[in-house]
Amino acid sequence: MIGERRKFNRLGEDGRRAALIAAAIALISEGGPATATVRAIAERAGVTPGLIRHYFTTKEALMRAAYAQVMDAMTQASVDVLASTPNRPQARLAVFVAASLRPPVVDSRAMGLWAGFLHQMREDSEMRAVHEASYLHYRDLLQGLIAALPRVADAGQLRADAIACNAVIDGLWLEGSALPDAFRPGELVRIGLRSVSAILGLDLMAEMPERGI
Amino acid sequence: MIGERRKFNRLGEDGRRAALIAAAIALISEGGPATATVRAIAERAGVTPGLIRHYFTTKEALMRAAYAQVMDAMTQASVDVLASTPNRPQARLAVFVAASLRPPVVDSRAMGLWAGFLHQMREDSEMRAVHEASYLHYRDLLQGLIAALPRVADAGQLRADAIACNAVIDGLWLEGSALPDAFRPGELVRIGLRSVSAILGLDLMAEMPERGI
DNA sequence: AAATTAATTATACGCTTGCATAATTACGCG
DNA sequence: CGCGTAATTATGCAAGCGTATAATTAATTT
């Protein structure tokens, strides 16, 4: 009676796929991409390694799914704050920018996760497509907020403004996540709002809620 | 006489270390970090694998050295253009920004290299120190160029301006390298100059050489 | 209650990895 | 010219990797 076969219960397509993706994200987030092996992911998900290949044709496919989910979650965190914001265009833009520049969006683990995926992009064209989609998704959201502002700007100007604002947010997010101790509390949000204001020619600081930062 | 031992010549500390670092960079640049194995690096350098451990205590130490060299080279490419630039502060800043936003600084291989290293930062504190040093080095150069501008700004303002300009350059560099086809030729440079101009309250476009972009 | 099917486990293979150790060889110095 | 030493090669190992395939089991259907 030494060879007892392991008990298990079935989750079915949706549940199991989600569990495997969650396990992969957790591992990459904790120990980097190198630690997210097929075996480790399976163990974290309470499953045997072979099962991964039953849901994903290859490990890279699982990685792509995980990356898409991470990026969606970050964007969503910035979108969520819009729900409880008054309908003034400047206020909405200001809150959106600010939310992108503080936790949980700014986070060293999220950045490590992001970087871990990023380096796969050069070899894996499907991964590049996932990246492009999530980048454009965020930028389009930003562009929509900018377009709602009361000002005159043609389509080309709008596109350039969205690219510029997206870049400054990306850059601040990146360094803030990589070097948390290099910036004072609230400094990133303040600089981000000032920069976006300067690029668009308005004053977002005036629109921020009273609690400072 | 089947076992002919391989001929070799000695390079000594300096030359061999440099050759190994160059080989590592070339490999990561071509095929991503995963392809830069100890064996592949040795082969590229025309050497047997064991030798790597003679010059670097561990593979990670070699990776750190390679990262430092890559970042230095990128910064240096932006600095070099300053040599042949007239001494007007605005012109110097404009050329520096523009150089950071086009090849060879903007380059998908360089970005892949950078991302490949970045994900090591979270676990490897020595790698984080290398990153911080090179980030601050670039930002200090930028801050020096900004400080030379004819305008009034206190120390805090100068620091915030340098962080903001650095962020927008970083963001544009990143997306331009990751998604080369998402931007028109010269678009990144144009947007970068406009953004830095807006943040600092001046007009760098007027300072650029005649050949457009 | 038996049969069917899809989900899951089990096992194993071939390959690659980083690293250690011992044998060799080129080169500088006396 | 011979000797010593440091640079370099050669060999091998233990571990981990992704993947393939076949056996088993839980749930669903009949």
Side-chain angles (χ1 to χ4, degrees), chain B residues 5 7-10 36-39 50 53 58-59:
Chain B
R5 194 181 178 93
K7 304 295 183 196
F8 64 92
N9 56 352
R10 310 189 154 192
T37 68
V38 169
R39 286 172 175 79
R53 289 265 313 164
T58 176
K59 190 198 171 187

Side-chain angles (χ1 to χ4, degrees), chain B:
Chain B
M1 280 303 187
I2 51 170
E4 292 269 308
R5 194 181 178 93
R6 173 176 179 160
K7 304 295 183 196
F8 64 92
N9 56 352
R10 310 189 154 192
L11 273 184
E13 189 78 18
D14 300 342
R16 196 59 89 188
R17 279 182 68 97
L20 290 172
I21 291 174
I25 291 176
L27 281 171
I28 299 181
S29 160
E30 289 166 14
T35 67
T37 68
V38 169
R39 286 172 175 79
I41 294 170
E43 185 185 16
R44 172 64 69 107
V47 150
T48 51
L51 192 57
I52 289 180
R53 289 265 313 164
H54 192 258
Y55 285 102
F56 299 92
T57 61
T58 176
K59 190 198 171 187
E60 288 190 348
L62 167 55
M63 289 300 162
R64 277 193 293 271
Y67 180 66
Q69 179 157 317
V70 167
M71 298 307 280
D72 277 2
M74 286 212 303
T75 297
Q76 197 56 41
S78 296
V79 169
D80 284 344
V81 301
L82 290 179
S84 58
T85 300
N87 217 9
R88 276 170 297 117
Q90 293 210 11
R92 290 171 61 81
L93 176 58
V95 193
F96 186 79
V97 171
S100 300
L101 291 176
R102 68 177 150 230
V105 178
V106 170
D107 174 42
S108 106
R109 296 180 312 138
M111 190 276 292
L113 193 46
W114 171 81
F117 287 120
L118 195 64
H119 92 268
Q120 287 194 4
M121 278 183 28
R122 287 201 25 265
E123 317 166 56
D124 185 344
S125 72
E126 299 198 52
M127 182 61 104
R128 187 162 51 249
V130 173
H131 168 79
E132 180 157 17
S134 66
Y135 163 72
L136 291 178
H137 177 224
Y138 181 89
R139 200 179 83 190
D140 282 348
L141 285 172
L142 193 57
Q143 184 165 324
L145 293 173
I146 295 173
L149 294 170
R151 55 168 211 154
V152 284
D154 59 43
Q157 186 63 40
L158 182 58
R159 168 186 156 92
D161 286 342
I163 292 175
C165 292
N166 191 11
V168 77
I169 293 169
D170 271 12
L172 290 173
W173 170 83
L174 179 63
E175 296 302 344
S177 302
L179 303 172
D181 299 333
F183 305 95
R184 288 188 289 268
E187 190 174 23
L188 287 179
V189 171
R190 221 177 307 122
I191 295 178
L193 289 173
R194 273 213 335 116
S195 303
V196 170
S197 297
I199 291 171
L200 300 178
L202 36 86
D203 182 13
L204 293 180
M205 302 296 277
E207 289 291 343
M208 284 302 287
E210 64 288 345
R211 64 180 168 84
I213 307 153

Side-chain angles (χ1 to χ4, degrees), chain A residues 62-187:
Chain A
L62 167 55
M63 290 300 165
R64 278 192 292 271
Y67 179 66
Q69 179 157 317
V70 167
M71 299 306 279
D72 277 2
M74 287 211 304
T75 297
Q76 197 56 41
S78 297
V79 169
D80 283 345
V81 301
L82 290 178
S84 58
T85 300
N87 217 9
R88 276 171 296 115
Q90 292 210 11
R92 289 171 62 81
L93 176 59
V95 178
F96 185 79
V97 171
S100 301
L101 291 176
R102 66 176 151 232
V105 179
V106 170
D107 175 44
S108 108
R109 295 181 314 136
M111 190 277 292
L113 193 46
W114 171 83
F117 286 120
L118 195 64
H119 91 270
Q120 287 194 3
M121 278 184 25
R122 287 203 25 267
E123 316 168 56
D124 185 345
S125 72
E126 298 199 53
M127 181 63 103
R128 188 162 48 247
V130 172
H131 169 77
E132 179 158 18
S134 66
Y135 163 72
L136 290 178
H137 178 223
Y138 181 90
R139 200 179 83 189
D140 283 348
L141 285 171
L142 193 55
Q143 184 165 322
L145 293 172
I146 294 174
L149 294 170
R151 56 170 208 151
V152 285
D154 60 43
Q157 185 65 39
L158 181 58
R159 169 186 156 92
D161 286 342
I163 292 174
C165 292
N166 191 9
V168 77
I169 294 170
D170 271 12
L172 290 172
W173 170 83
L174 180 64
E175 295 304 343
S177 301
L179 303 171
D181 299 332
F183 305 95
R184 288 188 290 268
E187 188 173 27

